[in-house]
C-alpha cells in the first residue's frame, strides 16, 4: 500500500512555492520522492525559496515566471522539460487576495485577482497538459478555498476567482480524464501562516483577537490549521493512490464547511 503514495521519479511543479502553503506542499512531495520545481515572480523570492529548501536538504529547481503571462509560462515549461524533465504533477498554488468592499473596489483590482487566481491556473494547466497526454498520465491540483463555496465581506474578487477555479477543476477532469489525467482541488481552511499571525496575536488584556475567536468558534477542530496539515492530502492527490479520484475538491478546513457554528452564549 505504501508504494501507492510514493512520488519517486516524479517531477512536481508547485507555483509560488517560495514560502507558505506552496512550500509546505512541495517539501512534502520531496519527502515522498519527487523532484521539486517551483517558480515565483521575482528572483529574490526564488533565491529565498531555494535557500529554504536547501536548509531541509531538498535540491529544488527555481524559476522566475509571472504565471499570468502565457509567453513566460510556455517558455518556463519548455525550459523545465529540457533541464529537469516532463512535469508529472502541477500544483496551481500562486494566488493573491485583496480585501476591499465590493463597491470600493475598482474593476482593475477585480481583474488582477481574477488574473492571478483563475486565469493563471488555466494558463499553467494548458501548458503542461500536452506533455502529460504524451506521457500517458498527469496530476493537476488547484489550490481552491472555502471561498469556492462561501461568500464573505470584502472578498468578492477572490470568491469569484476561487469559485471559478473549482469549476475549472471539474472541467479539466471532464476534458482530459480520458488521458489518465486527474485534476482535483484542495480547499484549505484558515491556516496559521506569517500572513495571518496578526489575527492570532493575544491582545493587551490577555484575550484572543476577535477574528481568532471567530475562527475557533466556527471550526469543530477548535484550532487554526497548520501548513503541514495540507501535506497528506496533497501527497494523496499527487500519487497513484488517487488515480480514480477526479474533479473533486478536498476541503482541509477542520470541519468549518460542515458546521453552522456555536450558538452565542
Amino acid at each position: 500500500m505504501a508504494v501507492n503514495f510514493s512520488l519517486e521519479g516524479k517531477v512536481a511543479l508547485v507555483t509560488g512555492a517560495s514560502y507558505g502553503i506552496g512550500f509546505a506542499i512541495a517539501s512534502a512531495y520531496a519527502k515522498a520522492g519527487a523532484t521539486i520545481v517551483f517558480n515565483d515572480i521575482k528572483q529574490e523570492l526564488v533565491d529565498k525559496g531555494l535557500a529554504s529548501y536547501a536548509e531541509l536538504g531538498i535540491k529544488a529547481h527555481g524559476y522566475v515566471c509571472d504565471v499570468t503571462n502565457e509567453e513566460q509560462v510556455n517558455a518556463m515549461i519548455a525550459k523545465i522539460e529540457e533541464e529537469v524533465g516532463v512535469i508529472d504533477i502541477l500544483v496551481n498554488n500562486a494566488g493573491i487576495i485583496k480585501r476591499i468592499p465590493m463597491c470600493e473596489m475598482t474593476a482593475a483590482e477585480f481583474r488582477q485577482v481574477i488574473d492571478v487566481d483563475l486565469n493563471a491556473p488555466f494558463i499553467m494547466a494548458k501548458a503542461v497538459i500536452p506533455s502529460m497526454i504524451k506521457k500517458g498520465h498527469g496530476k493537476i491540483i488547484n489550490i481552491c478555498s472555502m471561498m469556492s463555496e462561501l461568500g464573505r465581506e470584502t472578498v468578492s474578487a477572490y470568491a469569484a476567482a476561487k469559485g471559478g477555479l473549482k469549476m475549472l477543476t471539474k472541467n479539466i477532469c471532464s476534458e482530459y480524464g480520458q488521458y489518465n489525467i486527474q485534476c482535483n482541488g484542495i480547499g484549505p481552511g484558515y491556516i496559521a501562516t506569517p500572513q495571518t499571525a496578526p489575527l492570532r496575536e493575544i491582545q493587551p488584556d490577555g484575550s484572543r483577537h476577535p477574528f481568532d475567536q471567530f475562527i475557533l468558534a466556527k471550526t469543530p477542530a477548535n484550532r487554526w490549521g497548520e501548513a503541514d496539515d495540507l501535506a497528506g492530502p496533497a501527497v494523496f492527490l499527487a500519487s497513484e493512490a488517487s488515480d480514480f479520484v477526479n474533479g473533486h475538491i478536498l476541503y482541509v478546513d477542520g470541519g468549518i464547511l460542515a458546521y453552522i457554528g456555536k450558538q452565542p452564549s
Side-chain angles (χ1 to χ4, degrees):
M1 177 61 79
V3 173
N4 287 344
F5 293 91
S6 171
L7 301 181
E8 283 291 337
K10 305 295 186 184
V11 175
L13 167 58
V14 185
T15 65
S18 297
Y19 57 91
I21 287 172
F23 180 82
I25 290 174
S27 299
Y29 285 169
K31 292 175 185 175
T35 298
I36 302 306
V37 183
F38 73 99
N39 83 289
D40 222 311
I41 198 165
K42 296 179 182 177
Q43 186 64 53
E44 62 194 67
L45 292 173
V46 171
D47 292 341
K48 180 181 177 182
L50 289 171
S52 297
Y53 287 112
E55 286 179 12
L56 297 179
I58 298 170
K59 178 176 170 48
H61 303 265
Y63 295 83
V64 176
C65 178
D66 177 354
V67 290
T68 68
N69 185 311
E70 191 166 15
E71 288 185 5
Q72 287 188 30
V73 167
N74 289 337
M76 177 181 70
I77 298 305
K79 196 170 183 182
I80 292 169
E81 290 187 355
E82 179 185 342
E83 296 179 351
V84 185
V86 173
I87 294 158
D88 300 286
I89 303 156
L90 166 67
V91 180
N92 281 311
N93 166 74
I96 62 170
I97 186 169
K98 289 182 180 291
R99 294 181 177 89
I100 304 170
M102 191 177 108
C103 288
E104 297 173 20
M105 185 176 231
T106 66
E109 289 169 328
F110 188 92
R111 289 190 191 100
Q112 185 186 8
V113 176
I114 298 295
D115 207 21
V116 177
D117 293 355
L118 181 56
N119 291 340
F122 163 77
I123 292 168
M124 291 296 305
K126 181 182 170 187
V128 302
I129 285 171
S131 291
M132 288 181 172
I133 291 174
K134 289 179 185 176
K135 200 166 187 177
H137 70 82
K139 301 280 187 177
I140 298 173
I141 300 165
N142 293 323
I143 303 302
C144 294
S145 166
M146 289 186 299
M147 299 303 109
S148 297
E149 302 290 343
L150 302 172
R152 190 168 178 274
E153 298 86 349
T154 76
V155 294
S156 58
Y158 185 79
K162 292 299 185 177
L165 186 58
K166 176 183 73 172
M167 294 312 300
L168 178 63
T169 300
K170 292 176 181 292
N171 210 78
I172 292 172
C173 155
S174 302
E175 282 198 65
Y176 298 102
Q178 63 182 309
Y179 300 106
N180 194 29
I181 294 171
Q182 291 83 50
C183 182
N184 294 289
I186 293 177
Y190 284 91
I191 305 297
T193 65
Q195 288 90 336
T196 61
L199 300 175
R200 291 177 282 109
E201 288 180 350
I202 298 299
Q203 302 301 287
D205 63 0
S207 66
R208 290 181 176 272
H209 189 288
F211 191 81
D212 189 15
Q213 295 180 46
F214 167 71
I215 293 304
L216 294 183
K218 295 290 287 183
T219 308
N222 198 39
R223 68 174 177 88
W224 287 65
E226 300 291 338
D228 287 345
D229 287 321
L230 301 168
V235 169
F236 166 65
L237 291 177
S239 72
E240 293 178 3
S242 62
D243 278 356
F244 205 56
V245 178
N246 211 353
H248 177 74
I249 312 299
L250 176 53
Y251 290 99
V252 186
D253 65 354
I256 290 179
L257 288 174
Y259 188 43
I260 197 171
K262 292 180 181 177
Q263 180 176 329
S265 57

